[in-house]
Amino acid sequence: MSMFCNQCQETLKNQGCTMRGVCGKSESTANLQDLLVYALRGMAMAASERGYNVDAKYGRFLLRSLFVTITNVNFDENSVSEYIKQALELRDEMKAAYAAGVSHPLLDWSAAGKEEMLAKAKDASILKYSENEDIRSLKTIILYGLKGIGAYGEHAAVLGKESKEIYSFIFEALDAMNKEMPTDDYVKMVLKTGEYAVKVMALLDEANTFAYGHPEITKVSIGVGTKPGILISGHDLKDMEELLRQTDGTGVDVYTHGEMLPAHYYPALKKYSHLKGNYGGSWWKQAEEFESFNGPVLMTTNCIVPVRESYKNRFFTTGEAAYPGTRHIEVKNGKKDFSVIIELAKKCAPPKELETGEIVGGFAHNQLMTLADKVVAAVKSGAIKKFVVMAGCDGRHKERSYFTEVARNLPKEAVILTAGCAKYRYNKLKLGDIGGIPRVLDAGQCNDSYSLAVIALKLKEIFDLGDVNRLPIAFDIAWYEQKAVTVLLALLYLGFKGIRLGPTLPAFISPGVAKVLVENFGIRLIG
């Protein structure tokens, strides 16, 4: 075993990748990412001496670093090594300011060369978190929830919305990795992670809508134009805005891919006439879709798959994303310059057409509440009898055809609420509408899953129900990576029960912890 990683749904044999990640991550990169978390735990230990209430710059670094370790974000071991060095510099600053005189292996080790770091990484594996299987499982659930909180928090922070309360919690929860507390205390910390998942998603919702307006019902073309284009993927709307601004008037069209589709729903982004449409589907099909696009591709966050040589020279990353041998757009003087991508696009052929038609989205909580009277009337008349939340992540497993078949076979009185790239399993099906209400209501990115919870809670109020679980709502959640874990913890904290999860239960959930989830929350597998 040269590495161990079990954080994604596709982990080997649903147990753990031990030689190379199924995602394409090398053992060195995997081990360095573990070591980065280990360094962050040192920062958390130093922060504990100040009650986890420390300078915001340390919290912001936490967000970026946790984001780097999420599946399919950063494949570049040199990049991860630099994050480790920065983490140790900040840890030493914090130790001097908050924990002078305290000695502990997490506070005292120092980074040397990469080989020395890799040797140190054996101390950082999640397998070392506890000898108790259930404690280790609970610690891992907390850590993976924190990774999603880090991603959502970073998206909010780049738009100017931060929370020292959230930073303090992340430090507190990371420090729990350093301890051996009673099982009940870790169960409480899991639910507290869910509480802060709700807070960070609310913060991101505020950041997105403040910057770009509330999403609106929008028809998005899935065809192509005749001009050269740039394809933007990932989740970062700030990068989207900057790319649109810099390409305006250049004769280059911009297309969204994967989780960037909901950019079309925001008033401040959809005003750009050269935001042409959405190209392709979810992340796992990108190799073929990037090949046929012909123009440059900008990957803003996670969802990278191993990059083919055939398009490597027109593949760019930015932010926390990185891939060896590809070009990275850095922030300089507070801005990103995409001119090298734009100039390359001008020399490329227009995209090859994959499909034609359009898809409809923009049903975030604010927009859907404007339709509340129509929805309530449809429920009261029996025209709508069930809401099915089919949100989350897409993936390669053939078992995910389940979500397509459910969508096809739902009774005509059922409406699907969705967010995340799982929607590509059914958002191009012709499922019709109910009295003008589309049967697939897309709230946006996985980041926007908060909208689905808000909608459910609002419906509970409208129908004067004491318990959200009395609503005619079923949950069929597809998971792949750690942000989906964050969303699940948020739903559990909000009191939702009976959630179906799939296509497999996470490998990091021990039998004992699974028993608790089933007994207390009614979690069950899809099928």
Short mmCIF file of all heavy atoms in Angstrom, two decimals, residues 360 363 374 378 383-384 411-416 429-441:
data_model
loop_
_atom_site.label_atom_id
_atom_site.label_comp_id
_atom_site.label_asym_id
_atom_site.label_seq_id
_atom_site.Cartn_x
_atom_site.Cartn_y
_atom_site.Cartn_z
N VAL A 360 -33.80 24.12 -19.86
CA VAL A 360 -34.35 25.21 -19.06
C VAL A 360 -33.88 25.06 -17.61
O VAL A 360 -33.88 23.97 -17.06
CB VAL A 360 -35.89 25.23 -19.11
CG1 VAL A 360 -36.44 26.38 -18.27
CG2 VAL A 360 -36.37 25.34 -20.55
N PHE A 363 -34.24 27.72 -11.45
CA PHE A 363 -35.30 27.60 -10.44
C PHE A 363 -34.70 27.55 -9.03
O PHE A 363 -34.98 26.64 -8.25
CB PHE A 363 -36.14 26.35 -10.72
CG PHE A 363 -36.90 26.42 -12.01
CD1 PHE A 363 -36.37 25.88 -13.18
CD2 PHE A 363 -38.14 27.04 -12.06
CE1 PHE A 363 -37.07 25.95 -14.37
CE2 PHE A 363 -38.84 27.10 -13.26
CZ PHE A 363 -38.31 26.56 -14.42
N LYS A 374 -48.79 29.18 -7.77
CA LYS A 374 -49.09 28.18 -8.80
C LYS A 374 -48.74 26.77 -8.31
O LYS A 374 -49.49 25.81 -8.53
CB LYS A 374 -48.29 28.51 -10.08
CG LYS A 374 -48.62 27.60 -11.24
CD LYS A 374 -47.78 27.94 -12.48
CE LYS A 374 -48.28 29.20 -13.14
NZ LYS A 374 -47.63 29.42 -14.47
N ALA A 378 -51.31 23.68 -7.53
CA ALA A 378 -51.13 22.39 -8.20
C ALA A 378 -51.09 21.25 -7.19
O ALA A 378 -51.61 20.15 -7.45
CB ALA A 378 -49.85 22.41 -9.03
N ALA A 383 -52.62 17.98 -9.00
CA ALA A 383 -51.82 17.97 -10.24
C ALA A 383 -50.36 17.64 -9.92
O ALA A 383 -49.67 16.99 -10.72
CB ALA A 383 -51.92 19.31 -10.94
N ILE A 384 -49.87 18.11 -8.77
CA ILE A 384 -48.55 17.71 -8.28
C ILE A 384 -48.77 16.89 -7.01
O ILE A 384 -49.37 17.37 -6.04
CB ILE A 384 -47.66 18.92 -7.95
CG1 ILE A 384 -47.32 19.70 -9.22
CG2 ILE A 384 -46.37 18.47 -7.26
CD1 ILE A 384 -46.48 20.96 -8.95
N PRO A 411 -44.39 9.02 -12.04
CA PRO A 411 -45.74 9.39 -12.47
C PRO A 411 -45.77 10.83 -12.97
O PRO A 411 -44.97 11.67 -12.53
CB PRO A 411 -46.57 9.23 -11.20
CG PRO A 411 -45.81 8.27 -10.35
CD PRO A 411 -44.37 8.53 -10.65
N LYS A 412 -46.68 11.13 -13.85
CA LYS A 412 -46.74 12.46 -14.47
C LYS A 412 -47.08 13.55 -13.46
O LYS A 412 -46.94 14.74 -13.74
CB LYS A 412 -47.76 12.47 -15.62
CG LYS A 412 -49.20 12.21 -15.21
CD LYS A 412 -50.11 12.20 -16.43
CE LYS A 412 -51.58 12.02 -16.18
NZ LYS A 412 -52.08 11.67 -14.88
N GLU A 413 -47.49 13.17 -12.24
CA GLU A 413 -47.80 14.15 -11.20
C GLU A 413 -46.58 14.47 -10.32
O GLU A 413 -46.70 15.16 -9.32
CB GLU A 413 -48.92 13.62 -10.29
CG GLU A 413 -50.22 13.34 -11.00
CD GLU A 413 -50.30 11.92 -11.55
OE1 GLU A 413 -49.33 11.15 -11.34
OE2 GLU A 413 -51.33 11.58 -12.16
N ALA A 414 -45.40 13.96 -10.69
CA ALA A 414 -44.19 14.17 -9.89
C ALA A 414 -43.29 15.22 -10.53
O ALA A 414 -43.15 15.28 -11.76
CB ALA A 414 -43.42 12.86 -9.73
N VAL A 415 -42.69 16.06 -9.68
CA VAL A 415 -41.76 17.10 -10.12
C VAL A 415 -40.39 16.81 -9.53
O VAL A 415 -40.27 16.47 -8.34
CB VAL A 415 -42.24 18.49 -9.66
CG1 VAL A 415 -41.18 19.55 -9.91
CG2 VAL A 415 -43.53 18.88 -10.37
N ILE A 416 -39.35 16.93 -10.35
CA ILE A 416 -37.98 16.72 -9.90
C ILE A 416 -37.34 18.05 -9.54
O ILE A 416 -37.34 18.99 -10.34
CB ILE A 416 -37.15 16.03 -11.00
CG1 ILE A 416 -37.70 14.63 -11.31
CG2 ILE A 416 -35.68 15.93 -10.60
CD1 ILE A 416 -37.09 13.99 -12.55
N LEU A 429 -34.16 15.04 -21.07
CA LEU A 429 -35.33 14.23 -21.38
C LEU A 429 -36.54 15.14 -21.59
O LEU A 429 -36.62 16.22 -21.00
CB LEU A 429 -35.64 13.25 -20.24
CG LEU A 429 -34.55 12.23 -19.88
CD1 LEU A 429 -35.01 11.41 -18.67
CD2 LEU A 429 -34.22 11.32 -21.05
N LYS A 430 -37.46 14.74 -22.42
CA LYS A 430 -38.67 15.53 -22.67
C LYS A 430 -39.76 15.07 -21.68
O LYS A 430 -40.61 14.24 -21.99
CB LYS A 430 -39.13 15.34 -24.11
CG LYS A 430 -38.08 15.68 -25.16
CD LYS A 430 -37.63 17.12 -25.08
CE LYS A 430 -36.63 17.46 -26.17
NZ LYS A 430 -36.10 18.84 -26.03
N LEU A 431 -39.70 15.64 -20.48
CA LEU A 431 -40.62 15.21 -19.43
C LEU A 431 -41.85 16.11 -19.30
O LEU A 431 -42.74 15.83 -18.50
CB LEU A 431 -39.88 15.14 -18.08
CG LEU A 431 -38.74 14.12 -18.02
CD1 LEU A 431 -38.07 14.15 -16.65
CD2 LEU A 431 -39.23 12.71 -18.33
N GLY A 432 -41.88 17.19 -20.06
CA GLY A 432 -43.07 18.03 -20.08
C GLY A 432 -43.21 18.92 -18.86
O GLY A 432 -42.24 19.20 -18.15
N ASP A 433 -44.44 19.37 -18.61
CA ASP A 433 -44.70 20.27 -17.50
C ASP A 433 -46.04 19.94 -16.87
O ASP A 433 -46.80 19.12 -17.38
CB ASP A 433 -44.67 21.72 -17.97
CG ASP A 433 -45.77 22.02 -18.98
OD1 ASP A 433 -46.90 22.29 -18.54
OD2 ASP A 433 -45.50 21.96 -20.21
N ILE A 434 -46.28 20.59 -15.74
CA ILE A 434 -47.57 20.45 -15.04
C ILE A 434 -48.16 21.85 -14.93
O ILE A 434 -47.69 22.66 -14.12
CB ILE A 434 -47.38 19.82 -13.65
CG1 ILE A 434 -46.76 18.43 -13.78
CG2 ILE A 434 -48.71 19.76 -12.90
CD1 ILE A 434 -46.41 17.79 -12.45
N GLY A 435 -49.12 22.14 -15.76
CA GLY A 435 -49.75 23.46 -15.74
C GLY A 435 -48.77 24.60 -15.93
O GLY A 435 -48.90 25.65 -15.32
N GLY A 436 -47.77 24.37 -16.78
CA GLY A 436 -46.76 25.39 -17.04
C GLY A 436 -45.54 25.30 -16.14
O GLY A 436 -44.54 26.01 -16.35
N ILE A 437 -45.57 24.43 -15.14
CA ILE A 437 -44.42 24.22 -14.25
C ILE A 437 -43.61 23.05 -14.81
O ILE A 437 -44.11 21.92 -14.88
CB ILE A 437 -44.87 23.88 -12.81
CG1 ILE A 437 -45.76 24.99 -12.25
CG2 ILE A 437 -43.66 23.64 -11.91
CD1 ILE A 437 -46.47 24.60 -10.97
N PRO A 438 -42.35 23.29 -15.25
CA PRO A 438 -41.55 22.18 -15.79
C PRO A 438 -41.39 21.06 -14.77
O PRO A 438 -41.33 21.32 -13.56
CB PRO A 438 -40.20 22.84 -16.09
CG PRO A 438 -40.50 24.30 -16.24
CD PRO A 438 -41.63 24.57 -15.30
N ARG A 439 -41.32 19.85 -15.23
CA ARG A 439 -41.19 18.71 -14.32
C ARG A 439 -39.75 18.51 -13.84
O ARG A 439 -39.53 17.67 -12.95
CB ARG A 439 -41.73 17.44 -14.97
CG ARG A 439 -43.25 17.48 -15.11
CD ARG A 439 -43.81 16.14 -15.53
NE ARG A 439 -43.47 15.11 -14.56
CZ ARG A 439 -43.03 13.90 -14.89
NH1 ARG A 439 -42.87 13.56 -16.17
NH2 ARG A 439 -42.76 13.00 -13.95
N VAL A 440 -38.80 19.23 -14.43
CA VAL A 440 -37.43 19.25 -13.89
C VAL A 440 -37.10 20.70 -13.55
O VAL A 440 -37.03 21.55 -14.44
CB VAL A 440 -36.40 18.70 -14.90
CG1 VAL A 440 -34.99 18.82 -14.32
CG2 VAL A 440 -36.70 17.24 -15.23
N LEU A 441 -36.94 20.98 -12.27
CA LEU A 441 -36.65 22.33 -11.80
C LEU A 441 -35.21 22.37 -11.33
O LEU A 441 -34.87 21.85 -10.26
CB LEU A 441 -37.60 22.70 -10.66
CG LEU A 441 -39.10 22.68 -11.01
CD1 LEU A 441 -39.93 22.97 -9.77
CD2 LEU A 441 -39.42 23.67 -12.11
#
